Amino acid sequence: QVQFVESGGGLVQAGGSLRLSCVASIRSFSQATMGWYRQAPGKQRELVATITRLANTNYGDSVKGRFAISRDNAKNTVYLQMNSLKPEDTAVYYCNFGPVGGVPWGQGTQVTVSS
């Protein structure tokens, strides 16, 4: 059964950092393109970053230069290092297949950035 479990969110001041983790219970994780997504209150879910099986990465314009996605295939885990956080980064963060996601979605992890 496909399952994504996100963790690592929290409350942080603007300019701070957080590292999110996602354990993916999927077959052939090492072959999958993975992505981090986020959804702010009242907004649609948006793609934040993707990483291919060859570790090629891609980022949304709003996070380029601040966020870094990585993966550990031995642990079926994808990470999102978030630096220089801004209040507009406040959202629930999810991981899923990249770049369009699929079903099911995990419960996500809340990131709140205070000004």
Side-chain angles (χ1 to χ4, degrees), residues 33-66:
T33 293
M34 299 301 298
W36 278 98
Y37 304 78
R38 67 185 181 186
Q39 186 167 21
K43 295 187 177 181
Q44 289 189 334
R45 186 177 288 146
E46 65 171 340
L47 178 64
V48 174
T50 59
I51 184 167
T52 70
R53 63 182 182 89
L54 298 178
N56 295 315
T57 59
N58 223 328
Y59 298 92
D61 288 340
S62 62
V63 306
K64 280 181 182 177
R66 301 188 297 122

Side-chain angles (χ1 to χ4, degrees), residues 18-97:
L18 284 173
R19 189 193 194 205
L20 307 183
S21 300
C22 171
V23 178
S25 300
I26 59 176
R27 292 185 177 182
S28 302
F29 173 84
S30 63
Q31 302 301 307
T33 293
M34 299 301 298
W36 278 98
Y37 304 78
R38 67 185 181 186
Q39 186 167 21
K43 295 187 177 181
Q44 289 189 334
R45 186 177 288 146
E46 65 171 340
L47 178 64
V48 174
T50 59
I51 184 167
T52 70
R53 63 182 182 89
L54 298 178
N56 295 315
T57 59
N58 223 328
Y59 298 92
D61 288 340
S62 62
V63 306
K64 280 181 182 177
R66 301 188 297 122
F67 290 11
I69 188 171
S70 60
R71 66 193 299 161
D72 185 338
N73 291 334
K75 297 181 179 180
N76 272 34
T77 300
V78 59
Y79 303 97
L80 187 68
Q81 177 67 43
M82 305 187 296
N83 300 323
S84 302
L85 282 161
K86 304 176 181 179
E88 51 263 44
D89 294 319
T90 295
V92 179
Y93 284 72
Y94 304 87
C95 75
N96 207 301
F97 297 108

